[in-house]
Amino acid sequence: MAGEDATMKDLDSQSQWLVERARQSLRENNPYEAKPWLITAKTLYPKDFGIQYEAYSIERNAERVQESAKLFYIMFEQFPESDILWNEVVSFTDALESDVMDRHGKFLTDMFGCLPQHAQREILLRAAGRCKDYIERCRMMLLLMRRFPDVIPKNGVALTEMLTDAENSEYPAAPVNPYRKLLVCDVLPHLLASENMSVKTSSAESCSGQDDEEHVSGISLAQVHKWLELSIQFYVSCATAQNFLSENFDAQQSIIDTSIVAEVLDGQGPWIALHKLFYLAAKKCGWMEICRIHDRLDSIKYRSTNDYWTSISDLHHKLKKISKHCSEEGTEEEVLEKTGLMFATIILFLQTVWEYCRVVNRLDVISSSGLVYPLVLVEDSVHVNIQLSGSASANTAANDSPAPKKKKRKLASGRSGSPTKDDGKGKQPSHIIIDKNCGTLSQNLSEDFAVSVEAWHLLNTYPGYKKDFLRLLDDWRVDQWNWMGTFKVDRLIYKGKYKKAVEFLQEQRNVLEQDASENQELLIRGAIQLSCCYFRLDNHKRACEEALYSMQFFVARSSAGDNMTLKRSTSVHQGKLDTSGNEPLSSASAGGRCLRLIQCSETEVLSFTVRLLLSSLKQRLVTEGRNDTLLGHVVVLVQFGWPREEDAFCELLDRIRDQGGLKYREFFSYVNNIDILEEFAHLYSDDSYNLDLVPHSTSGSSRAVTRGVNKGAKEDFRAAMERQVGRSDESFEPLLKAFLQNEKDSLLS
């Protein structure tokens, strides 16, 4: 044994000496001398891996493609288990997968291409088998299938099952993970585009035994449907990951792989990628009608969202019409087409609802101050003008004396109308107005929302879609997508389902109030929408309560960076700027209901609150008898946005004249509008009216303000009027906020 060991050591030293001589020749820049040394060594020691690898290294470093490939193939046959050899295989596969090819990468790719076809196939198969990591094994198998499509029937579906099983084991609750990414972004596009894969329909399953002979693998429709479901969930999760992370990053950072999201977003984008995959599935499943309208559904081509929806809706009605003339269950082709149409509708729904919620929740805005206001969809019924003079005139019909001539000519009366008291008026046409203060928004925002509502309605009402759609929502845990709650309540308001909206908003508030300091914006938005719903349900007291509730957050906040500038907002209606300065049309004049997107800032919430209070109090004035406190409150509120409510103020003056005066001792605490002060000064000069507007003196004495009874009242009124006229240049804002806070109980009583 000792002799044999010595002999082996002697052989090793001799072979090493030959290798060293070859290396020395290379160092001396004499490759032609090095090559004979290695040829000699290979001849003497054909089973020595070191000599074989040294010869290969010389050819590889010299970038001689043919010679390198030949030597590598010899080594692969003789030393298939060498770790050094498999390190070279890793270099090959990295070069083959690389999108950016440098000089060395091109050499490796060319060299691998010079290997015999069976050797290439064997190398990739064995490389995949050596991978202990699922991701690496998948990469190898994918590379194999790309270079050798004929292996797809045997390995394609097995690869998808391997990735799905690995995901279920390691990421059971995370749709964005490395396994799903490989499955959706890499494997499925390749399988669905392959001519070696076919879909087995029920009528063709009996012939599936021919697949092996034709080298075509048959996959079931259910398998393709499952792939589509996984793909939709993945791409939607990537598209909405910004919101998912920002809501609770610490809790979700282990669920969302941000690197995968970034890769998808930096590429062609989730929606375009999803559409391409869907189209591949449509061709594979034989959804001929979907393929026919493919161009109209293509996200890359410029078409409005409404055009997408029109194409889907037309196809839906076409299939329904065909079904009426066939059996109840429909033909196999019709069932296939309806399934494809369902998936197309789901994709359009999710895309449009996300685009809407992304903007409304302001997930598309980054503010340096950190102050970003969400948007809120409200009923525009608070803009309705109420005729006040009719009721007052009726109450004083017995008065034969004509009303005195007014100092100012009253303008033509405004639009009339009142909000409907019935729930569920969603069948009326609905128009959405976007306030200019919301910032620069997509011109298609209103269209996206309308389409998402219609798509939701189709998926939830048509029997052929509803069951599967609800199952998918449950599987995807859509109830945990917080941004979707915005769509739910906005959809209910848009469709006129006010009672259901109230129930949902009340449930939402119960949750949000558990951490009110962190959810102020959502509480404000919910309160505004609750006030709208109560207003439409004719519960005006609750409507006003909710509007005033929303204002209390701003009073408590008193943020120095949240300064309020009161001005009448300009609106964008159907994408066109309204420069007329007029309020948007009411539901009566526009031929349908009108909704408005406003910003949840103090300015807009205050504007909304005043308009709602005015509408509610005006309606009470129409139905009630004399109520001086109510009348005085309306006088205070009409100052907001002056002269928008000038017509209403003229009607209030008519009512005051009709009832012979007004007792409202809070008048000089909240009124500083010069036009209104001038009108009351003029009214006070007429002996026919009794005005009790001056508060009690601090001494406790009370002076009657009826003319001629107490001459001191005249001096008190004049002093108060002069004081308020002197404040007429001051902002009405502090007075208005003080009024809403101090007179809250009176406003609601």
Side-chain angles (χ1 to χ4, degrees), residues 414-461:
R415 298 168 295 273
S416 64
S418 61
T420 177
K421 66 177 66 176
D422 298 326
D423 188 21
K425 292 294 183 181
K427 293 183 179 180
Q428 298 176 347
S430 299
H431 310 278
I432 297 180
I433 298 169
I434 304 175
D435 271 12
K436 184 180 179 181
N437 289 339
C438 293
T440 304
L441 303 181
S442 170
Q443 298 294 324
N444 297 325
L445 182 63
S446 300
E447 190 176 280
D448 285 342
F449 176 67
V451 167
S452 64
V453 172
E454 294 303 318
W456 172 274
H457 180 74
L458 176 62
L459 292 168
N460 276 272
T461 57

Tab-separated table of all heavy atoms in Angstrom, residues 414-461:
chain	number	residue	atom	x	y	z
A	414	GLY	N	-83.545	82.394	-7.755
A	414	GLY	CA	-82.651	81.320	-8.175
A	414	GLY	C	-83.400	80.058	-8.498
A	414	GLY	O	-84.626	80.039	-8.590
A	415	ARG	N	-82.626	79.008	-8.661
A	415	ARG	CA	-83.204	77.720	-9.021
A	415	ARG	C	-83.924	77.135	-7.821
A	415	ARG	O	-83.465	77.225	-6.702
A	415	ARG	CB	-82.093	76.770	-9.503
A	415	ARG	CG	-81.395	77.256	-10.732
A	415	ARG	CD	-80.135	76.449	-10.994
A	415	ARG	NE	-79.129	76.605	-9.959
A	415	ARG	CZ	-78.225	77.585	-9.967
A	415	ARG	NH1	-78.220	78.476	-10.936
A	415	ARG	NH2	-77.333	77.673	-9.012
A	416	SER	N	-84.984	76.472	-8.068
A	416	SER	CA	-85.778	75.892	-6.994
A	416	SER	C	-85.689	74.393	-7.038
A	416	SER	O	-85.336	73.802	-8.026
A	416	SER	CB	-87.241	76.350	-7.120
A	416	SER	OG	-87.796	75.866	-8.314
A	417	GLY	N	-86.060	73.821	-5.946
A	417	GLY	CA	-86.075	72.363	-5.877
A	417	GLY	C	-85.769	71.921	-4.472
A	417	GLY	O	-85.265	72.685	-3.667
A	418	SER	N	-86.053	70.713	-4.151
A	418	SER	CA	-85.772	70.183	-2.823
A	418	SER	C	-85.295	68.773	-2.958
A	418	SER	O	-85.648	68.065	-3.887
A	418	SER	CB	-87.037	70.233	-1.952
A	418	SER	OG	-88.050	69.461	-2.527
A	419	PRO	N	-84.474	68.334	-2.016
A	419	PRO	CA	-83.949	66.973	-2.117
A	419	PRO	C	-85.044	65.943	-1.936
A	419	PRO	O	-86.004	66.147	-1.211
A	419	PRO	CB	-82.940	66.918	-0.948
A	419	PRO	CG	-83.393	67.976	-0.001
A	419	PRO	CD	-84.015	69.052	-0.829
A	420	THR	N	-84.882	64.874	-2.611
A	420	THR	CA	-85.870	63.808	-2.511
A	420	THR	C	-85.806	63.136	-1.159
A	420	THR	O	-84.742	63.015	-0.557
A	420	THR	CB	-85.639	62.759	-3.603
A	420	THR	OG1	-86.583	61.710	-3.411
A	420	THR	CG2	-84.261	62.157	-3.525
A	421	LYS	N	-86.938	62.681	-0.658
A	421	LYS	CA	-86.967	62.017	0.637
A	421	LYS	C	-86.890	60.500	0.473
A	421	LYS	O	-86.804	59.765	1.449
A	421	LYS	CB	-88.234	62.394	1.397
A	421	LYS	CG	-89.515	61.888	0.769
A	421	LYS	CD	-90.725	62.221	1.608
A	421	LYS	CE	-90.974	63.702	1.673
A	421	LYS	NZ	-92.223	64.032	2.409
A	422	ASP	N	-86.934	60.018	-0.733
A	422	ASP	CA	-86.930	58.578	-0.969
A	422	ASP	C	-85.514	58.066	-1.083
A	422	ASP	O	-84.656	58.692	-1.687
A	422	ASP	CB	-87.711	58.235	-2.237
A	422	ASP	CG	-89.170	58.643	-2.116
A	422	ASP	OD1	-89.693	58.564	-0.998
A	422	ASP	OD2	-89.758	59.047	-3.132
A	423	ASP	N	-85.285	56.922	-0.483
A	423	ASP	CA	-83.986	56.273	-0.615
A	423	ASP	C	-83.958	55.490	-1.909
A	423	ASP	O	-84.927	54.878	-2.318
A	423	ASP	CB	-83.773	55.321	0.568
A	423	ASP	CG	-82.370	54.772	0.583
A	423	ASP	OD1	-81.497	55.394	-0.041
A	423	ASP	OD2	-82.155	53.732	1.218
A	424	GLY	N	-82.798	55.490	-2.587
A	424	GLY	CA	-82.645	54.673	-3.771
A	424	GLY	C	-83.033	55.357	-5.048
A	424	GLY	O	-83.654	54.760	-5.912
A	425	LYS	N	-82.656	56.624	-5.211
A	425	LYS	CA	-82.924	57.330	-6.463
A	425	LYS	C	-81.749	57.240	-7.424
A	425	LYS	O	-81.509	58.122	-8.223
A	425	LYS	CB	-83.232	58.810	-6.156
A	425	LYS	CG	-84.550	59.004	-5.410
A	425	LYS	CD	-85.727	58.615	-6.261
A	425	LYS	CE	-87.049	58.864	-5.568
A	425	LYS	NZ	-88.191	58.470	-6.361
A	426	GLY	N	-80.998	56.171	-7.307
A	426	GLY	CA	-79.812	56.037	-8.130
A	426	GLY	C	-80.097	55.856	-9.599
A	426	GLY	O	-79.196	55.912	-10.409
A	427	LYS	N	-81.370	55.626	-9.966
A	427	LYS	CA	-81.678	55.451	-11.379
A	427	LYS	C	-81.618	56.770	-12.139
A	427	LYS	O	-81.582	56.775	-13.356
A	427	LYS	CB	-83.062	54.806	-11.526
A	427	LYS	CG	-83.115	53.364	-11.009
A	427	LYS	CD	-84.478	52.759	-11.241
A	427	LYS	CE	-84.532	51.312	-10.745
A	427	LYS	NZ	-85.853	50.693	-10.957
A	428	GLN	N	-81.673	57.901	-11.402
A	428	GLN	CA	-81.547	59.186	-12.071
A	428	GLN	C	-80.114	59.362	-12.557
A	428	GLN	O	-79.183	58.852	-11.955
A	428	GLN	CB	-81.903	60.311	-11.100
A	428	GLN	CG	-83.331	60.256	-10.594
A	428	GLN	CD	-83.577	61.344	-9.566
A	428	GLN	OE1	-82.652	61.973	-9.073
A	428	GLN	NE2	-84.836	61.559	-9.241
A	429	PRO	N	-79.924	60.081	-13.666
A	429	PRO	CA	-78.552	60.337	-14.126
A	429	PRO	C	-77.763	61.059	-13.045
A	429	PRO	O	-78.278	61.955	-12.385
A	429	PRO	CB	-78.764	61.219	-15.364
A	429	PRO	CG	-80.170	60.965	-15.795
A	429	PRO	CD	-80.940	60.657	-14.552
A	430	SER	N	-76.529	60.665	-12.838
A	430	SER	CA	-75.689	61.263	-11.809
A	430	SER	C	-74.500	61.953	-12.460
A	430	SER	O	-73.813	61.364	-13.289
A	430	SER	CB	-75.201	60.188	-10.828
A	430	SER	OG	-76.292	59.569	-10.185
A	431	HIS	N	-74.267	63.188	-12.062
A	431	HIS	CA	-73.147	63.963	-12.572
A	431	HIS	C	-72.188	64.225	-11.422
A	431	HIS	O	-72.613	64.507	-10.298
A	431	HIS	CB	-73.627	65.287	-13.167
A	431	HIS	CG	-74.767	65.140	-14.135
A	431	HIS	ND1	-74.583	64.793	-15.453
A	431	HIS	CD2	-76.108	65.273	-13.967
A	431	HIS	CE1	-75.759	64.726	-16.063
A	431	HIS	NE2	-76.702	65.008	-15.180
A	432	ILE	N	-70.902	64.136	-11.682
A	432	ILE	CA	-69.895	64.375	-10.648
A	432	ILE	C	-69.113	65.631	-10.993
A	432	ILE	O	-68.564	65.752	-12.083
A	432	ILE	CB	-68.943	63.167	-10.506
A	432	ILE	CG1	-69.714	61.930	-10.050
A	432	ILE	CG2	-67.838	63.483	-9.517
A	432	ILE	CD1	-68.863	60.700	-9.878
A	433	ILE	N	-69.072	66.565	-10.040
A	433	ILE	CA	-68.329	67.808	-10.183
A	433	ILE	C	-67.085	67.699	-9.319
A	433	ILE	O	-67.143	67.217	-8.192
A	433	ILE	CB	-69.188	69.012	-9.748
A	433	ILE	CG1	-70.426	69.122	-10.638
A	433	ILE	CG2	-68.390	70.300	-9.778
A	433	ILE	CD1	-71.449	70.105	-10.125
A	434	ILE	N	-65.962	68.154	-9.841
A	434	ILE	CA	-64.699	68.109	-9.101
A	434	ILE	C	-64.273	69.532	-8.792
A	434	ILE	O	-64.040	70.326	-9.701
A	434	ILE	CB	-63.597	67.393	-9.903
A	434	ILE	CG1	-64.059	65.984	-10.297
A	434	ILE	CG2	-62.319	67.312	-9.092
A	434	ILE	CD1	-63.087	65.254	-11.191
A	435	ASP	N	-64.176	69.854	-7.508
A	435	ASP	CA	-63.744	71.188	-7.123
A	435	ASP	C	-62.323	71.458	-7.590
A	435	ASP	O	-61.453	70.585	-7.517
A	435	ASP	CB	-63.807	71.345	-5.595
A	435	ASP	CG	-65.175	71.833	-5.148
A	435	ASP	OD1	-66.090	71.823	-5.978
A	435	ASP	OD2	-65.307	72.217	-3.974
A	436	LYS	N	-62.087	72.677	-8.018
A	436	LYS	CA	-60.739	73.067	-8.440
A	436	LYS	C	-59.760	72.957	-7.286
A	436	LYS	O	-58.576	72.668	-7.483
A	436	LYS	CB	-60.761	74.491	-8.991
A	436	LYS	CG	-59.428	74.952	-9.552
A	436	LYS	CD	-59.513	76.364	-10.083
A	436	LYS	CE	-58.161	76.821	-10.618
A	436	LYS	NZ	-58.213	78.215	-11.122
A	437	ASN	N	-60.241	73.185	-6.055
A	437	ASN	CA	-59.356	73.113	-4.895
A	437	ASN	C	-58.824	71.709	-4.639
A	437	ASN	O	-57.941	71.527	-3.795
A	437	ASN	CB	-60.085	73.610	-3.640
A	437	ASN	CG	-60.315	75.105	-3.664
A	437	ASN	OD1	-59.628	75.823	-4.381
A	437	ASN	ND2	-61.282	75.573	-2.896
A	438	CYS	N	-59.377	70.730	-5.325
A	438	CYS	CA	-58.873	69.364	-5.169
A	438	CYS	C	-57.508	69.193	-5.837
A	438	CYS	O	-56.855	68.163	-5.656
A	438	CYS	CB	-59.857	68.353	-5.762
A	438	CYS	SG	-61.425	68.249	-4.871
A	439	GLY	N	-57.094	70.174	-6.621
A	439	GLY	CA	-55.803	70.069	-7.304
A	439	GLY	C	-55.972	69.544	-8.709
A	439	GLY	O	-57.082	69.382	-9.231
A	440	THR	N	-54.849	69.239	-9.336
A	440	THR	CA	-54.851	68.729	-10.701
A	440	THR	C	-55.159	67.239	-10.680
A	440	THR	O	-54.337	66.437	-10.251
A	440	THR	CB	-53.493	68.971	-11.376
A	440	THR	OG1	-53.187	70.370	-11.322
A	440	THR	CG2	-53.529	68.525	-12.828
A	441	LEU	N	-56.331	66.892	-11.130
A	441	LEU	CA	-56.762	65.494	-11.127
A	441	LEU	C	-56.934	65.006	-12.553
A	441	LEU	O	-57.060	65.784	-13.494
A	441	LEU	CB	-58.080	65.334	-10.367
A	441	LEU	CG	-58.098	65.813	-8.914
A	441	LEU	CD1	-59.458	65.557	-8.300
A	441	LEU	CD2	-57.016	65.130	-8.093
A	442	SER	N	-56.928	63.694	-12.686
A	442	SER	CA	-57.138	63.090	-13.991
A	442	SER	C	-58.496	63.495	-14.542
A	442	SER	O	-59.498	63.520	-13.828
A	442	SER	CB	-57.047	61.562	-13.886
A	442	SER	OG	-57.478	60.952	-15.080
A	443	GLN	N	-58.508	63.820	-15.822
A	443	GLN	CA	-59.766	64.189	-16.462
A	443	GLN	C	-60.743	63.014	-16.476
A	443	GLN	O	-61.946	63.206	-16.634
A	443	GLN	CB	-59.488	64.645	-17.905
A	443	GLN	CG	-58.607	65.876	-18.000
A	443	GLN	CD	-59.267	67.119	-17.432
A	443	GLN	OE1	-60.461	67.302	-17.571
A	443	GLN	NE2	-58.496	67.964	-16.775
A	444	ASN	N	-60.224	61.789	-16.294
A	444	ASN	CA	-61.080	60.599	-16.381
A	444	ASN	C	-61.517	60.087	-15.015
A	444	ASN	O	-62.059	58.988	-14.921
A	444	ASN	CB	-60.341	59.473	-17.118
A	444	ASN	CG	-60.024	59.835	-18.548
A	444	ASN	OD1	-60.791	60.517	-19.212
A	444	ASN	ND2	-58.880	59.395	-19.035
A	445	LEU	N	-61.274	60.876	-13.951
A	445	LEU	CA	-61.581	60.382	-12.611
A	445	LEU	C	-63.065	60.056	-12.458
A	445	LEU	O	-63.427	58.984	-11.956
A	445	LEU	CB	-61.149	61.412	-11.563
A	445	LEU	CG	-61.376	60.994	-10.110
A	445	LEU	CD1	-60.538	59.764	-9.775
A	445	LEU	CD2	-61.050	62.137	-9.154
A	446	SER	N	-63.917	60.972	-12.870
A	446	SER	CA	-65.361	60.724	-12.766
A	446	SER	C	-65.766	59.519	-13.597
A	446	SER	O	-66.606	58.706	-13.190
A	446	SER	CB	-66.139	61.958	-13.229
A	446	SER	OG	-65.823	63.076	-12.426
A	447	GLU	N	-65.165	59.397	-14.770
A	447	GLU	CA	-65.470	58.275	-15.658
A	447	GLU	C	-65.019	56.958	-15.045
A	447	GLU	O	-65.739	55.952	-15.104
A	447	GLU	CB	-64.785	58.501	-16.999
A	447	GLU	CG	-65.192	57.543	-18.092
A	447	GLU	CD	-64.547	57.902	-19.418
A	447	GLU	OE1	-65.038	58.819	-20.089
A	447	GLU	OE2	-63.540	57.263	-19.764
A	448	ASP	N	-63.825	56.952	-14.434
A	448	ASP	CA	-63.329	55.736	-13.773
A	448	ASP	C	-64.304	55.281	-12.695
A	448	ASP	O	-64.610	54.084	-12.571
A	448	ASP	CB	-61.955	55.989	-13.155
A	448	ASP	CG	-60.847	56.046	-14.193
A	448	ASP	OD1	-61.073	55.556	-15.316
A	448	ASP	OD2	-59.772	56.576	-13.887
A	449	PHE	N	-64.772	56.238	-11.911
A	449	PHE	CA	-65.679	55.885	-10.823
A	449	PHE	C	-66.997	55.340	-11.362
A	449	PHE	O	-67.501	54.314	-10.880
A	449	PHE	CB	-65.931	57.101	-9.935
A	449	PHE	CG	-66.927	56.847	-8.846
A	449	PHE	CD1	-66.630	55.966	-7.814
A	449	PHE	CD2	-68.169	57.464	-8.844
A	449	PHE	CE1	-67.542	55.714	-6.806
A	449	PHE	CE2	-69.089	57.221	-7.846
A	449	PHE	CZ	-68.772	56.345	-6.815
A	450	ALA	N	-67.569	56.017	-12.358
A	450	ALA	CA	-68.845	55.562	-12.915
A	450	ALA	C	-68.720	54.163	-13.502
A	450	ALA	O	-69.597	53.310	-13.317
A	450	ALA	CB	-69.330	56.552	-13.983
A	451	VAL	N	-67.611	53.890	-14.187
A	451	VAL	CA	-67.399	52.567	-14.776
A	451	VAL	C	-67.226	51.516	-13.685
A	451	VAL	O	-67.757	50.397	-13.790
A	451	VAL	CB	-66.179	52.589	-15.715
A	451	VAL	CG1	-65.745	51.171	-16.081
A	451	VAL	CG2	-66.497	53.372	-16.982
A	452	SER	N	-66.483	51.849	-12.633
A	452	SER	CA	-66.286	50.878	-11.552
A	452	SER	C	-67.612	50.524	-10.891
A	452	SER	O	-67.840	49.367	-10.520
A	452	SER	CB	-65.296	51.427	-10.517
A	452	SER	OG	-65.812	52.582	-9.873
A	453	VAL	N	-68.499	51.501	-10.748
A	453	VAL	CA	-69.822	51.233	-10.164
A	453	VAL	C	-70.631	50.313	-11.077
A	453	VAL	O	-71.263	49.353	-10.612
A	453	VAL	CB	-70.577	52.554	-9.920
A	453	VAL	CG1	-72.025	52.273	-9.505
A	453	VAL	CG2	-69.881	53.372	-8.841
A	454	GLU	N	-70.609	50.588	-12.374
A	454	GLU	CA	-71.367	49.759	-13.311
A	454	GLU	C	-70.799	48.340	-13.380
A	454	GLU	O	-71.558	47.358	-13.466
A	454	GLU	CB	-71.363	50.405	-14.702
A	454	GLU	CG	-72.100	51.731	-14.776
A	454	GLU	CD	-73.548	51.618	-14.327
A	454	GLU	OE1	-74.206	50.621	-14.698
A	454	GLU	OE2	-74.012	52.501	-13.591
A	455	ALA	N	-69.473	48.225	-13.358
A	455	ALA	CA	-68.852	46.900	-13.389
A	455	ALA	C	-69.207	46.121	-12.128
A	455	ALA	O	-69.507	44.916	-12.181
A	455	ALA	CB	-67.338	47.039	-13.537
A	456	TRP	N	-69.174	46.800	-10.989
A	456	TRP	CA	-69.562	46.151	-9.726
A	456	TRP	C	-71.008	45.659	-9.803
A	456	TRP	O	-71.312	44.542	-9.377
A	456	TRP	CB	-69.397	47.145	-8.577
A	456	TRP	CG	-69.936	46.659	-7.263
A	456	TRP	CD1	-71.211	46.750	-6.803
A	456	TRP	CD2	-69.196	45.969	-6.242
A	456	TRP	NE1	-71.324	46.168	-5.558
A	456	TRP	CE2	-70.111	45.692	-5.194
A	456	TRP	CE3	-67.882	45.581	-6.112
A	456	TRP	CZ2	-69.715	45.042	-4.035
A	456	TRP	CZ3	-67.495	44.924	-4.948
A	456	TRP	CH2	-68.398	44.656	-3.924
A	457	HIS	N	-71.868	46.482	-10.340
A	457	HIS	CA	-73.283	46.110	-10.435
A	457	HIS	C	-73.459	44.882	-11.320
A	457	HIS	O	-74.215	43.961	-10.974
A	457	HIS	CB	-74.081	47.288	-11.003
A	457	HIS	CG	-75.539	47.004	-11.147
A	457	HIS	ND1	-76.405	46.946	-10.072
A	457	HIS	CD2	-76.303	46.750	-12.255
A	457	HIS	CE1	-77.623	46.665	-10.493
A	457	HIS	NE2	-77.596	46.543	-11.812
A	458	LEU	N	-72.761	44.836	-12.440
A	458	LEU	CA	-72.875	43.689	-13.339
A	458	LEU	C	-72.369	42.419	-12.660
A	458	LEU	O	-73.021	41.370	-12.717
A	458	LEU	CB	-72.077	43.952	-14.618
A	458	LEU	CG	-72.010	42.800	-15.631
A	458	LEU	CD1	-73.407	42.450	-16.129
A	458	LEU	CD2	-71.103	43.164	-16.799
A	459	LEU	N	-71.219	42.511	-12.004
A	459	LEU	CA	-70.624	41.327	-11.371
A	459	LEU	C	-71.446	40.833	-10.190
A	459	LEU	O	-71.375	39.649	-9.838
A	459	LEU	CB	-69.199	41.646	-10.917
A	459	LEU	CG	-68.173	41.879	-12.037
A	459	LEU	CD1	-66.892	42.473	-11.477
A	459	LEU	CD2	-67.870	40.585	-12.782
A	460	ASN	N	-72.203	41.721	-9.558
A	460	ASN	CA	-72.959	41.338	-8.370
A	460	ASN	C	-74.415	41.011	-8.635
A	460	ASN	O	-75.111	40.569	-7.723
A	460	ASN	CB	-72.892	42.467	-7.327
A	460	ASN	CG	-71.637	42.403	-6.493
A	460	ASN	OD1	-71.592	41.734	-5.468
A	460	ASN	ND2	-70.608	43.090	-6.939
A	461	THR	N	-74.868	41.242	-9.852
A	461	THR	CA	-76.282	40.981	-10.133
A	461	THR	C	-76.495	39.875	-11.159
A	461	THR	O	-77.512	39.175	-11.102
A	461	THR	CB	-76.977	42.264	-10.641
A	461	THR	OG1	-76.299	42.751	-11.806
A	461	THR	CG2	-76.969	43.335	-9.564
